[in-house]
Amino acid sequence: METIPHFIGGRRFVGEARAYGDVFNPNTGAVQSRVVLGESKEVDETIRSAVAAQPGWAAVNPQRRARVMFDFKRLIEANMKQLAELLSSEHGKVVADSKGDIQRGLDVIEFACGVPHLQKGDFTEGAGPGIDVYSIRQPLGVVAGITPFNFPAMIPLWMSAVAIACGNAFVLKPSEKAPSVAIRLAELMMEAGAPAGILNVLQGNKTVVDGLLHHPDVKAISFVGSSDIAQYVYATASANGKRVQAMGGAKNHGIVMPDADLDQTVNDIMGAAFGSAGERCMALPVVVPVGEKTAVALRQKLVAAIGDMRVGISTDSDAQYGPVITQQHKARIEQYIQMAVDEGSELVIDGRGFSLQGYEKGFFLGPTLLDHVKPRMKSYQDEIFGPVLQIVRAENLEEAIMLPSKHALGNGVAIFTRDGEAARTFASSVEVGMVGVNVPIPVPVAYYSFGGWKRSAFGDTNQYGMDGIQFYTRTKTVTQRWPKRGAASAGDAAFVMPTMS
Ligand code: NAD
């Protein structure tokens, strides 16, 4: 059986691994490979290699660092098909969706190609008599990223492309459930010209994460995953004096106004709720029709659309979504469906018991639709992260705005309407970090930045965009004066606080 290694100091590395994790093929349910699970020895070794490589890389001029990013992008594009198939084989999302995962990462690399401009500082000539002030953005040193299973390419690239372009060395701890793509990305980064030790991949679980959170040479931690772990990572790393950004879970709502174009809206909701088997942090698992008439019409169209869906293996080009990540996760989703029923919601379509001929042991779930879901229900409050769509009915826009605003998670939200006034009121007042107006999955483009509110993100800066540049650099401000020789006389010392007047 294949062993998925670390990538440390520019080479694949297994070492004297003592523990391994099973990597499944979610289509068949079989273990297809095993991944090494690092321990403190590997953490130390990786950080040593990154510390040794980083100063040389930081000294490379920004234009040359950008050229490495251009080549990195070109190499990923050239390997798109193989990368997407590899990603799908471990994650289970359909290959076309894996290409989207990779493309969203490529967009961030493209943004990072602008680093010579993005990393520029400021300069003020004559801030005081003969005084100039300038600021520079220097890399932090060695930084680490800890990523979830659901975007094995995009999220590692959100972090590593920006961090490395800015002159840092990066240690990636990918999800142990989908660990292979990270290794290929690190190899392509080296092929593009980054020195050994600049992009390292450290495989593992909590042991490795804790090693990174406590290591004195790791200057910043970027995390994406579930909210409880995000909060733990944020608290632990900041207590150790590190810069931290930690993105958590989500429960995104789609508000459907009475004037919405229902056919278009249903298409949008279907893709956002069930694409990638609902395992996206920007999925739309809650739909909020406003008014009884909207609810009745929307439900009817959703039922028809769900009836036409095709669930299949990840290489089935006609399938709309594939299996979920593990048997354990499948069982958890099924428990939430039962909980929703027990709490009093109406099970309109039950996706449990779905079986695909020839793939009976795969981790498949059919689409599930629940109606009359109420805010007090735990199945509404928690993130389910599966192909389950919940309808929560609202009487008016105000009530609809309060639902996502009061929810503990505040990643994304969308409104479907033709009424500009309603949309503007909604976008301005809703307590959520990323808002779509007739856009079901409002993941910001690479030159904006990504981040939710409340328990969906701990820390002050978002992922990528200018926030990413700020996160991976620190500002140094220099105030300089070049007085004329011989201009000072003895006894001219000033004891009051200097001002520029
Ligand atoms: P997860 O929290 O289980 O794992 C994320 C990472 O943390 C993995 O690398 C994992 O190895 C590590 N980890 C797990 N348990 C840990 C522990 N006890 N201590 C330290 N580290 C630990 O998340 P997941 O199941 O891989 O991914 C799905 C979650 O990620 C969902 O909640 C989803 O909403 C969220 N997510 C959020 C965003 C966002 O940007 N807000 C994006 C994608 C996914």
Side-chain angles (χ1 to χ4, degrees):
M1 184 179 296
E2 194 195 347
T3 298
I4 316 294
H6 307 290
F7 191 85
I8 303 175
R11 64 189 180 97
R12 290 179 174 232
F13 178 79
V14 173
E16 300 145 23
R18 274 174 299 195
Y20 298 90
D22 287 338
V23 180
F24 292 92
N25 176 339
N27 295 305
T28 62
V31 175
Q32 61 169 335
S33 58
R34 58 179 198 167
V35 60
V36 285
L37 299 176
E39 293 177 19
S40 56
K41 190 166 168 271
E42 285 81 33
V43 175
D44 289 344
E45 199 159 322
T46 309
I47 307 296
R48 251 199 316 276
S49 139
V51 164
Q54 191 269 334
W57 177 241
V60 169
N61 74 54
Q63 204 170 352
R64 286 189 52 198
R65 277 188 264 128
R67 285 187 192 140
V68 171
M69 290 297 147
F70 276 110
D71 274 350
F72 186 37
K73 177 174 176 283
R74 184 182 52 75
L75 286 168
I76 293 177
E77 281 165 345
N79 286 276
M80 175 66 101
K81 186 170 176 289
Q82 298 92 315
L83 283 167
E85 285 168 1
L86 182 62
L87 197 161
S88 286
S89 76
E90 291 182 349
H91 180 286
K93 61 174 89 174
V94 295
V95 173
D97 198 26
S98 291
K99 287 183 179 164
D101 181 332
I102 298 164
Q103 182 57 50
R104 278 296 187 142
L106 283 171
D107 292 353
V108 176
I109 301 176
E110 200 171 71
F111 167 77
C113 289
V115 75
H117 178 71
L118 299 167
Q119 206 174 348
K120 275 193 318 201
D122 292 321
F123 190 95
T124 300
E125 184 188 32
I131 293 177
D132 304 325
V133 180
Y134 66 91
S135 65
I136 49 181
R137 290 192 168 279
Q138 296 184 322
L140 303 177
V142 175
V143 298
I146 300 152
T147 54
F149 79 82
N150 70 324
F151 279 101
M154 176 184 83
I155 295 178
L157 291 170
W158 281 358
M159 302 172 179
S160 59
V162 180
I164 290 173
C166 288
N168 298 283
F170 194 83
V171 178
L172 170 64
K173 205 305 277 174
S175 168
E176 61 276 39
K177 293 171 192 152
S180 293
V181 170
I183 299 290
R184 284 297 295 135
L185 291 177
E187 286 174 340
L188 294 175
M189 175 70 94
M190 270 194 75
E191 204 180 321
I198 288 302
L199 177 52
N200 305 280
V201 180
L202 193 50
Q203 309 284 11
N205 51 25
K206 179 171 167 56
T207 309
V208 166
V209 173
D210 284 342
L212 294 169
L213 301 184
H214 290 283
H215 199 293
D217 288 332
V218 175
K219 301 301 178 197
I221 298 277
S222 180
F223 173 90
V224 177
S226 51
S227 291
D228 288 350
I229 314 286
Q231 188 169 17
Y232 164 76
V233 165
Y234 180 73
T236 310
S238 39
N240 288 330
K242 302 185 195 314
R243 191 175 281 196
V244 202
Q245 51 179 198
M247 277 55 193
K251 189 90 177 190
N252 304 333
H253 295 54
I255 314 299
V256 183
M257 295 297 287
D259 63 353
D261 175 341
L262 269 198
D263 288 327
Q264 175 73 49
T265 302
V266 166
N267 286 341
D268 288 348
I269 291 171
M270 291 293 295
F274 299 112
S276 203
E279 293 173 320
R280 290 184 186 136
C281 65
M282 290 296 275
L284 215 51
V286 177
V287 66
V288 183
V290 173
E292 184 62 19
K293 254 177 81 180
T294 317
V296 171
L298 180 72
R299 173 174 156 162
Q300 200 180 23
K301 284 184 185 284
L302 284 172
V303 168
I306 290 172
D308 289 341
M309 281 192 77
R310 181 180 166 106
V311 180
I313 57 169
S314 49
T315 48
D316 176 352
S317 54
D318 292 328
Q320 279 132 355
Y321 74 83
V324 300
I325 186 74
T326 55
Q327 179 60 38
Q328 201 186 5
H329 188 51
K330 176 180 163 177
R332 183 180 171 276
I333 297 165
E334 288 172 338
Q335 280 160 17
Y336 268 109
I337 296 170
Q338 189 55 47
M339 182 196 294
V341 174
D342 296 344
E343 287 176 319
S345 41
E346 182 195 352
L347 185 57
V348 184
I349 297 173
D350 189 355
R352 293 172 296 180
F354 175 90
S355 179
L356 197 64
Q357 208 184 357
Y359 295 88
E360 288 78 6
K361 293 204 169 134
F363 311 141
F364 292 96
L365 271 165
T368 292
L369 182 66
L370 292 152
D371 197 0
H372 300 288
V373 175
K374 305 285 180 217
R376 63 175 159 75
M377 297 177 178
K378 188 163 160 53
S379 58
Y380 165 78
Q381 291 158 6
D382 289 1
E383 178 183 42
I384 299 177
F385 219 54
V388 179
L389 178 60
Q390 293 171 295
I391 302 177
V392 184
R393 297 170 177 227
E395 279 182 15
N396 50 45
L397 177 61
E398 292 67 39
E399 199 185 316
I401 294 177
M402 289 317 285
L403 287 165
S405 295
K406 285 196 168 163
H407 202 283
L409 299 165
N411 214 39
V413 73
I415 186 167
F416 301 93
T417 183
R418 295 214 158 269
D419 179 344
E421 187 191 346
R424 191 169 184 277
T425 303
F426 178 79
S428 160
S429 59
V430 70
E431 301 246 340
V432 172
M434 292 173 280
V435 181
V437 176
N438 298 314
V439 171
I441 306 181
V443 174
V445 290
Y447 42 96
Y448 280 74
S449 72
F450 182 105
W453 285 9
K454 303 180 283 186
R455 286 185 65 73
S456 291
F458 301 86
D460 305 315
T461 48
N462 282 352
Q463 299 280 346
Y464 64 79
M466 278 317 288
D467 270 30
I469 302 286
Q470 272 155 18
F471 184 76
Y472 290 113
T473 56
R474 52 185 175 172
T475 305
K476 184 179 279 177
T477 309
V478 180
T479 303
Q480 66 174 9
R481 179 168 67 135
W482 298 98
K484 281 201 171 68
R485 269 179 225 278
S489 0
D492 277 356
F495 294 95
V496 296
M497 181 66 189
T499 66
M500 292 299 176
S501 55

